[in-house]
mmCIF file of all heavy atoms in Angstrom:
data_model
loop_
_atom_site.group_PDB
_atom_site.id
_atom_site.type_symbol
_atom_site.label_atom_id
_atom_site.label_comp_id
_atom_site.label_asym_id
_atom_site.label_seq_id
_atom_site.Cartn_x
_atom_site.Cartn_y
_atom_site.Cartn_z
ATOM 1 N N GLU A 1020 -48.462 24.868 15.351
ATOM 2 C CA GLU A 1020 -49.177 25.775 16.250
ATOM 3 C C GLU A 1020 -50.625 25.999 15.807
ATOM 4 O O GLU A 1020 -51.541 26.001 16.611
ATOM 5 C CB GLU A 1020 -48.402 27.100 16.249
ATOM 6 C CG GLU A 1020 -48.898 28.158 17.167
ATOM 7 C CD GLU A 1020 -48.231 29.497 16.828
ATOM 8 O OE1 GLU A 1020 -47.624 29.629 15.742
ATOM 9 O OE2 GLU A 1020 -48.353 30.397 17.643
ATOM 10 N N TYR A 1021 -50.833 26.171 14.523
ATOM 11 C CA TYR A 1021 -52.179 26.509 14.033
ATOM 12 C C TYR A 1021 -52.946 25.298 13.496
ATOM 13 O O TYR A 1021 -53.953 25.443 12.813
ATOM 14 C CB TYR A 1021 -52.083 27.599 12.961
ATOM 15 C CG TYR A 1021 -51.133 27.236 11.849
ATOM 16 C CD1 TYR A 1021 -51.521 26.388 10.821
ATOM 17 C CD2 TYR A 1021 -49.836 27.728 11.837
ATOM 18 C CE1 TYR A 1021 -50.660 26.034 9.826
ATOM 19 C CE2 TYR A 1021 -48.961 27.375 10.828
ATOM 20 C CZ TYR A 1021 -49.380 26.535 9.834
ATOM 21 O OH TYR A 1021 -48.510 26.171 8.834
ATOM 22 N N GLY A 1022 -52.482 24.118 13.793
ATOM 23 C CA GLY A 1022 -53.211 22.918 13.380
ATOM 24 C C GLY A 1022 -52.516 22.167 12.276
ATOM 25 O O GLY A 1022 -52.080 22.763 11.296
ATOM 26 N N GLY A 1023 -52.409 20.863 12.458
ATOM 27 C CA GLY A 1023 -51.743 20.034 11.467
ATOM 28 C C GLY A 1023 -50.440 19.490 12.025
ATOM 29 O O GLY A 1023 -50.005 19.856 13.123
ATOM 30 N N TYR A 1024 -49.875 18.568 11.267
ATOM 31 C CA TYR A 1024 -48.621 17.927 11.685
ATOM 32 C C TYR A 1024 -47.690 17.849 10.495
ATOM 33 O O TYR A 1024 -48.142 17.705 9.360
ATOM 34 C CB TYR A 1024 -48.875 16.489 12.155
ATOM 35 C CG TYR A 1024 -49.729 16.378 13.385
ATOM 36 C CD1 TYR A 1024 -51.117 16.268 13.278
ATOM 37 C CD2 TYR A 1024 -49.157 16.384 14.653
ATOM 38 C CE1 TYR A 1024 -51.908 16.165 14.411
ATOM 39 C CE2 TYR A 1024 -49.941 16.275 15.788
ATOM 40 C CZ TYR A 1024 -51.315 16.170 15.663
ATOM 41 O OH TYR A 1024 -52.089 16.063 16.780
ATOM 42 N N VAL A 1025 -46.404 17.935 10.775
ATOM 43 C CA VAL A 1025 -45.436 17.676 9.715
ATOM 44 C C VAL A 1025 -44.506 16.555 10.153
ATOM 45 O O VAL A 1025 -44.254 16.370 11.336
ATOM 46 C CB VAL A 1025 -44.608 18.922 9.343
ATOM 47 C CG1 VAL A 1025 -45.455 19.948 8.614
ATOM 48 C CG2 VAL A 1025 -43.946 19.531 10.567
ATOM 49 N N VAL A 1026 -44.051 15.820 9.199
ATOM 50 C CA VAL A 1026 -43.109 14.737 9.457
ATOM 51 C C VAL A 1026 -41.859 15.093 8.681
ATOM 52 O O VAL A 1026 -41.926 15.331 7.487
ATOM 53 C CB VAL A 1026 -43.610 13.383 8.903
ATOM 54 C CG1 VAL A 1026 -42.721 12.252 9.381
ATOM 55 C CG2 VAL A 1026 -45.051 13.153 9.276
ATOM 56 N N ASP A 1027 -40.771 15.170 9.382
ATOM 57 C CA ASP A 1027 -39.521 15.461 8.694
ATOM 58 C C ASP A 1027 -38.482 14.517 9.248
ATOM 59 O O ASP A 1027 -38.054 14.657 10.376
ATOM 60 C CB ASP A 1027 -39.119 16.918 8.949
ATOM 61 C CG ASP A 1027 -37.709 17.200 8.454
ATOM 62 O OD1 ASP A 1027 -37.333 16.631 7.418
ATOM 63 O OD2 ASP A 1027 -36.999 17.981 9.110
ATOM 64 N N THR A 1028 -38.129 13.523 8.480
ATOM 65 C CA THR A 1028 -37.072 12.642 8.964
ATOM 66 C C THR A 1028 -36.057 12.418 7.863
ATOM 67 O O THR A 1028 -36.424 12.293 6.701
ATOM 68 C CB THR A 1028 -37.583 11.261 9.447
ATOM 69 O OG1 THR A 1028 -37.320 10.308 8.427
ATOM 70 C CG2 THR A 1028 -39.042 11.261 9.791
ATOM 71 N N PRO A 1029 -34.786 12.383 8.245
ATOM 72 C CA PRO A 1029 -33.746 12.165 7.246
ATOM 73 C C PRO A 1029 -33.993 10.863 6.498
ATOM 74 O O PRO A 1029 -33.759 10.766 5.313
ATOM 75 C CB PRO A 1029 -32.465 12.074 8.070
ATOM 76 C CG PRO A 1029 -32.795 12.721 9.365
ATOM 77 C CD PRO A 1029 -34.243 12.486 9.595
ATOM 78 N N GLY A 1030 -34.503 9.862 7.220
ATOM 79 C CA GLY A 1030 -34.765 8.579 6.580
ATOM 80 C C GLY A 1030 -35.742 8.730 5.430
ATOM 81 O O GLY A 1030 -35.504 8.248 4.335
ATOM 82 N N ILE A 1031 -36.818 9.438 5.685
ATOM 83 C CA ILE A 1031 -37.832 9.606 4.656
ATOM 84 C C ILE A 1031 -37.282 10.376 3.466
ATOM 85 O O ILE A 1031 -37.574 10.073 2.329
ATOM 86 C CB ILE A 1031 -39.081 10.298 5.244
ATOM 87 C CG1 ILE A 1031 -39.847 9.294 6.093
ATOM 88 C CG2 ILE A 1031 -39.964 10.852 4.140
ATOM 89 C CD1 ILE A 1031 -41.018 9.855 6.820
ATOM 90 N N ARG A 1032 -36.437 11.342 3.742
ATOM 91 C CA ARG A 1032 -35.874 12.131 2.645
ATOM 92 C C ARG A 1032 -35.164 11.247 1.645
ATOM 93 O O ARG A 1032 -35.180 11.497 0.459
ATOM 94 C CB ARG A 1032 -34.854 13.121 3.192
ATOM 95 C CG ARG A 1032 -35.473 14.218 3.974
ATOM 96 C CD ARG A 1032 -34.373 15.074 4.559
ATOM 97 N NE ARG A 1032 -34.855 15.761 5.733
ATOM 98 C CZ ARG A 1032 -34.068 16.382 6.589
ATOM 99 N NH1 ARG A 1032 -32.768 16.384 6.402
ATOM 100 N NH2 ARG A 1032 -34.569 17.005 7.614
ATOM 101 N N GLN A 1033 -34.490 10.226 2.151
ATOM 102 C CA GLN A 1033 -33.695 9.417 1.237
ATOM 103 C C GLN A 1033 -34.509 8.370 0.486
ATOM 104 O O GLN A 1033 -34.090 7.895 -0.544
ATOM 105 C CB GLN A 1033 -32.573 8.731 2.014
ATOM 106 C CG GLN A 1033 -31.466 9.714 2.350
ATOM 107 C CD GLN A 1033 -30.868 9.448 3.712
ATOM 108 O OE1 GLN A 1033 -30.968 8.339 4.210
ATOM 109 N NE2 GLN A 1033 -30.273 10.449 4.316
ATOM 110 N N PHE A 1034 -35.651 8.031 1.012
ATOM 111 C CA PHE A 1034 -36.440 7.010 0.313
ATOM 112 C C PHE A 1034 -37.065 7.647 -0.905
ATOM 113 O O PHE A 1034 -37.878 8.529 -0.787
ATOM 114 C CB PHE A 1034 -37.592 6.475 1.172
ATOM 115 C CG PHE A 1034 -37.161 5.987 2.507
ATOM 116 C CD1 PHE A 1034 -38.009 6.107 3.582
ATOM 117 C CD2 PHE A 1034 -35.927 5.416 2.679
ATOM 118 C CE1 PHE A 1034 -37.622 5.659 4.811
ATOM 119 C CE2 PHE A 1034 -35.528 4.961 3.902
ATOM 120 C CZ PHE A 1034 -36.377 5.092 4.992
ATOM 121 N N GLN A 1035 -36.660 7.192 -2.040
ATOM 122 C CA GLN A 1035 -37.234 7.797 -3.224
ATOM 123 C C GLN A 1035 -38.140 6.841 -3.967
ATOM 124 O O GLN A 1035 -39.201 7.196 -4.396
ATOM 125 C CB GLN A 1035 -36.133 8.322 -4.125
ATOM 126 C CG GLN A 1035 -35.587 9.618 -3.559
ATOM 127 C CD GLN A 1035 -34.125 9.777 -3.833
ATOM 128 O OE1 GLN A 1035 -33.542 8.982 -4.546
ATOM 129 N NE2 GLN A 1035 -33.526 10.792 -3.263
ATOM 130 N N LEU A 1036 -37.689 5.641 -4.119
ATOM 131 C CA LEU A 1036 -38.528 4.695 -4.853
ATOM 132 C C LEU A 1036 -38.803 3.467 -4.001
ATOM 133 O O LEU A 1036 -38.188 2.440 -4.159
ATOM 134 C CB LEU A 1036 -37.836 4.274 -6.149
ATOM 135 C CG LEU A 1036 -37.790 5.317 -7.243
ATOM 136 C CD1 LEU A 1036 -36.985 4.796 -8.409
ATOM 137 C CD2 LEU A 1036 -39.183 5.669 -7.712
ATOM 138 N N TRP A 1037 -39.730 3.610 -3.098
ATOM 139 C CA TRP A 1037 -40.083 2.453 -2.290
ATOM 140 C C TRP A 1037 -40.697 1.415 -3.219
ATOM 141 O O TRP A 1037 -41.598 1.754 -3.981
ATOM 142 C CB TRP A 1037 -41.167 2.792 -1.287
ATOM 143 C CG TRP A 1037 -40.789 3.664 -0.174
ATOM 144 C CD1 TRP A 1037 -40.162 3.293 0.965
ATOM 145 C CD2 TRP A 1037 -41.063 5.060 -0.054
ATOM 146 N NE1 TRP A 1037 -40.034 4.385 1.777
ATOM 147 C CE2 TRP A 1037 -40.573 5.462 1.191
ATOM 148 C CE3 TRP A 1037 -41.679 5.997 -0.888
ATOM 149 C CZ2 TRP A 1037 -40.674 6.768 1.630
ATOM 150 C CZ3 TRP A 1037 -41.775 7.279 -0.447
ATOM 151 C CH2 TRP A 1037 -41.280 7.668 0.793
ATOM 152 N N ASP A 1038 -40.294 0.241 -3.127
ATOM 153 C CA ASP A 1038 -40.846 -0.895 -3.865
ATOM 154 C C ASP A 1038 -41.471 -0.604 -5.228
ATOM 155 O O ASP A 1038 -42.393 -1.256 -5.637
ATOM 156 C CB ASP A 1038 -41.825 -1.731 -3.005
ATOM 157 C CG ASP A 1038 -42.645 -0.937 -2.013
ATOM 158 O OD1 ASP A 1038 -42.215 0.145 -1.687
ATOM 159 O OD2 ASP A 1038 -43.701 -1.386 -1.578
#
Side-chain angles (χ1 to χ4, degrees):
E1020 184 193 14
Y1021 53 80
Y1024 296 90
V1025 289
V1026 189
D1027 170 36
T1028 102
I1031 285 175
R1032 290 176 204 167
Q1033 284 143 23
F1034 307 148
Q1035 283 147 7
L1036 287 176
W1037 290 278
D1038 34 338

